[in-house]
Amino acid sequence: MNNMTNTYTTNSPREGIEQHTYSTGYKLSIGMSETHYSDGETLAEIAVINPEGNFVPLTPYDDVVGWVPIKRIEEFKDILKGCADPVEPLKELCSHF
């Protein structure tokens, strides 16, 4: 990981979604509702959107990772805060789910 700190803003475009937009242009989307791979309480669906507005394929078979324990979301945030190009570190993290 690079030694940098990317700032971010947080918004909620609709109920059940929280998004963090980083100064690099990447966006972390955290879904916790019945329309996501989530139990709505302790497990979330994670997606990352690149600066061009496209989903980053987090696994070989899907653009999102479901059923992520909410206590692990900080790991996604740390990668996005600390990397100019977070794609490979994110894929590595997602390989453990």
Side-chain angles (χ1 to χ4, degrees), residues 49-87:
I49 301 152
N50 68 21
E52 292 78 33
N54 301 310
F55 283 95
V56 172
L58 296 174
T59 70
Y61 52 86
D62 206 344
D63 293 340
V64 302
V65 177
W67 314 111
V68 175
I70 58 172
K71 64 183 178 183
R72 304 278 313 262
I73 292 174
E74 284 302 314
E75 295 173 62
F76 289 88
K77 291 180 181 179
D78 288 344
I79 290 170
L80 287 159
K81 283 190 285 191
C83 291
D85 184 3
V87 174

Side-chain angles (χ1 to χ4, degrees), residues 1-82:
M1 206 175 325
N2 304 342
N3 271 336
M4 61 186 310
T5 299
N6 296 308
T7 59
Y8 66 92
T9 58
T10 303
N11 75 324
S12 183
R14 66 178 190 270
E15 188 174 338
I17 295 182
E18 180 177 290
Q19 291 184 333
H20 302 271
T21 303
Y22 292 82
S23 55
T24 56
Y26 283 89
K27 187 180 292 186
L28 174 65
S29 183
I30 304 162
M32 293 187 66
S33 74
E34 60 191 34
T35 61
H36 297 97
Y37 299 118
S38 164
D39 68 0
E41 294 179 22
T42 62
L43 301 170
E45 178 185 286
I46 301 294
V48 176
I49 301 152
N50 68 21
E52 292 78 33
N54 301 310
F55 283 95
V56 172
L58 296 174
T59 70
Y61 52 86
D62 206 344
D63 293 340
V64 302
V65 177
W67 314 111
V68 175
I70 58 172
K71 64 183 178 183
R72 304 278 313 262
I73 292 174
E74 284 302 314
E75 295 173 62
F76 289 88
K77 291 180 181 179
D78 288 344
I79 290 170
L80 287 159
K81 283 190 285 191

Side-chain angles (χ1 to χ4, degrees), residues 58-59 65 90-97:
L58 296 174
T59 70
V65 177
L90 286 168
K91 287 180 178 181
E92 173 62 27
L93 174 61
C94 292
S95 71
H96 300 286
F97 292 106

